[in-house]
Amino acid sequence: MIFGRSERDKPPVEPVTLKILVAGGFGVGKTTLVGAVSEIRPLRTEELLTEAGRPVDDLSGVEAKNTTTVAMDFGRITLREDLVLYLFGTPGQERFWFMWDELAEGALGAVVLADTRRLQDCFAAVDYFERRSIPFLVGVNCFEGAARYPAEDVRRALDLDPDVPILMGDARDRESVKTVLVGVVQHAMAQAAQRRQAVTT
């Protein structure tokens, strides 16, 4: 008599791994976001700010910040048994933007993290992903003491297309960050489905 395999005997499911970028201006919370949600100890490439960098580092609005990401932040989160996200935080300062092309290779989508007090700091990231047709959403990091604006006001200020999602959240809060990451995956999948449909019609 031949018995079927029990659930316990089945080989483990190989998860799909997806690469997500986290971009935005200097001091907007990218390192914090990756650290808040990563299930492994995040890889960080932070260095102390120095006097030598003062002429090129704009600390407006983040005067208390004394470190900067010089290459990337890296973390990992399992959203489901069959879905794992690799998170790559990009450096925010202009002098490290040369890293972005390498980090963007193979990315499914991106989070552009924004601070309503310094929205202009995320223009470069928005432009970067638009030019390369990488699906992205804007995650507004709601800092304490910062003014809160409706999503449509943020959309107009950033001149975003109507289909770009905008989510409010807190980069320090794991559940808030998970909501943003799920939103990126859903948006990227929807964009991919639209492209496939356009090809077949």
Side-chain angles (χ1 to χ4, degrees), residues 8-132:
R8 195 174 48 189
D9 296 330
K10 287 183 179 177
V13 176
E14 273 298 317
V16 174
T17 57
L18 303 174
K19 181 179 184 180
I20 302 294
L21 297 187
V22 182
F26 175 58
V28 78
K30 301 180 295 295
T31 299
T32 300
L33 182 148
V34 172
V37 79
S38 180
E39 64 199 16
I40 62 171
R41 183 178 178 181
L43 169 66
R44 293 178 173 156
T45 57
E46 287 196 306
E47 294 293 340
L48 288 172
L49 292 169
T50 64
E51 283 300 316
R54 189 171 294 279
V56 291
D57 294 336
D58 182 7
L59 300 182
S60 303
V62 286
E63 291 82 0
K65 189 167 172 60
N66 60 9
T67 60
T68 184
T69 298
V70 296
M72 66 174 182
D73 297 310
F74 173 76
R76 184 188 73 200
I77 177 173
T78 302
L79 288 184
R80 298 190 313 244
E81 181 186 353
D82 60 345
L83 181 59
V84 174
L85 300 186
Y86 290 138
L87 308 177
F88 289 81
T90 65
Q93 292 171 281
E94 186 173 353
R95 60 193 168 117
F96 299 121
W97 286 354
F98 67 90
M99 294 287 302
W100 286 27
D101 286 340
E102 192 168 335
L103 292 174
E105 188 71 32
L108 174 77
V111 177
V112 175
L113 206 55
D115 178 351
T116 57
R117 299 167 299 183
R118 300 177 289 125
L119 275 180
Q120 70 279 2
D121 288 0
C122 64
F123 286 158
V126 169
D127 290 344
Y128 182 89
F129 297 124
E130 284 181 344
R131 286 197 309 270
R132 287 158 181 78

